[in-house]
Amino acid sequence: EIVLTQSPGTLSLSPGERATLSCRASQSVSSSYLAWYQQKPGQAPRLLIYGASSRAAGIPDRFSGSGSGTDFTLTISRLEPEDFAVYYCQQYGSSPWAFGQGTKVEIK
Amino acid sequence: QVQLQESGPGLVKPSETLSLTCTVSGASISRYCWNCIRQPPGKGLEWIGYSYYNGSTNYNPSLKSRVTISVDTSKNQFSLKLNSVTAADTAVYYCARSIPWFGSMDVWGQGTTVTVSS
């Protein structure tokens, strides 16, 4: 089973700053089947990125994903107030699908 | 617009079976995999498994002995059954869609809270 480890656990930033979130896999993720989700309190997760670097429909271009193999990154170029949330990575290339433990992006 | 709506009892007794139904609107249930995910209070996400309309399934080994996910094409619904529940199964349960066979989950229901307690 692939285990995903996200870092940092919490990121304290101000609006307008750049956010860089990391997701490291215990084994290579097949065909870059790596997704990122955003979750706000009391809401369901929302797909941001799939295939490691493709933005889902309706996702602003300030969100970008990169990486391959075991190391992946989600970058938010300039934080907007609505971007403060918890972010999860997820691999879907090897069963069982698995999520990272999450990174909370909070207002500094 | 595709929508998923979870329904089920909010309270289940220990050792009983948790049953949830997800109703799909705006999309054919026959073209996608239908996933169940859960989130214990204050914790992260756990993928439970998925079912395809033809009966193919894929379950998380950690829950496989207790889980059944099935699709009812006549009702455009799919259902989750988790038996022998304990307090550790208390969580928000989500339904989500993915593309066969390696797809991210692009549409989610709003989630339903299930508490296991006597």
Side-chain angles (χ1 to χ4, degrees), chain A residues 1-75:
Chain A
E1 297 188 16
I2 295 178
V3 175
L4 300 178
T5 303
Q6 292 186 240
S7 61
T10 302
L11 201 50
S12 299
L13 296 168
S14 301
E17 291 194 295
R18 182 185 187 88
T20 303
L21 288 67
S22 175
C23 177
R24 178 161 290 179
S26 59
Q27 316 171 30
S28 183
V29 176
S30 173
S31 302
S32 294
Y33 287 137
L34 192 286
W36 290 92
Y37 300 86
Q38 176 194 66
Q39 188 178 34
K40 297 179 181 178
Q43 296 185 16
R46 177 175 71 145
L47 177 67
L48 299 175
I49 301 288
Y50 65 93
S53 59
S54 298
R55 271 188 302 277
I59 301 304
D61 61 7
R62 64 180 181 273
F63 291 93
S64 63
S66 62
S68 64
T70 61
D71 290 302
F72 299 88
T73 300
L74 174 69
T75 301

Side-chain angles (χ1 to χ4, degrees), chain A residues 1 33 35 37 39 42-47 49-51 88 90 92-101, chain B residues 35 37 39 43-47 50 58-62 94 98 101-106 108-111:
Chain A
E1 297 188 16
Y33 287 137
Y37 300 86
Q39 188 178 34
Q43 296 185 16
R46 177 175 71 145
L47 177 67
I49 301 288
Y50 65 93
Y88 294 95
Q90 180 234 343
Y92 51 96
S94 173
S95 187
W97 301 171
F99 292 91
Q101 82 280 17
Chain B
N35 296 264
I37 305 97
Q39 185 171 36
K43 296 189 178 181
L45 300 165
E46 180 180 30
W47 176 76
Y50 70 65
N58 184 9
Y59 298 139
N60 193 322
S62 66
Y94 295 101
S98 64
W101 295 100
F102 299 97
S104 54
M105 291 174 278
D106 65 339
W108 292 63
Q110 86 281 7

Side-chain angles (χ1 to χ4, degrees), chain B residues 3-61:
Chain B
Q3 291 186 315
L4 306 183
Q5 178 68 56
E6 300 93 344
S7 60
L11 182 64
V12 181
K13 290 182 168 55
S15 78
E16 295 189 344
T17 296
L18 180 161
S19 297
L20 292 179
T21 298
C22 295
T23 300
V24 179
S25 58
S28 170
I29 203 163
S30 301
R31 293 182 58 190
Y32 298 93
C33 289
W34 302 99
N35 296 264
C36 296
I37 305 97
R38 69 181 183 179
Q39 185 171 36
K43 296 189 178 181
L45 300 165
E46 180 180 30
W47 176 76
I48 299 170
Y50 70 65
S51 181
Y52 190 53
Y53 80 99
N54 65 357
S56 297
T57 55
N58 184 9
Y59 298 139
N60 193 322

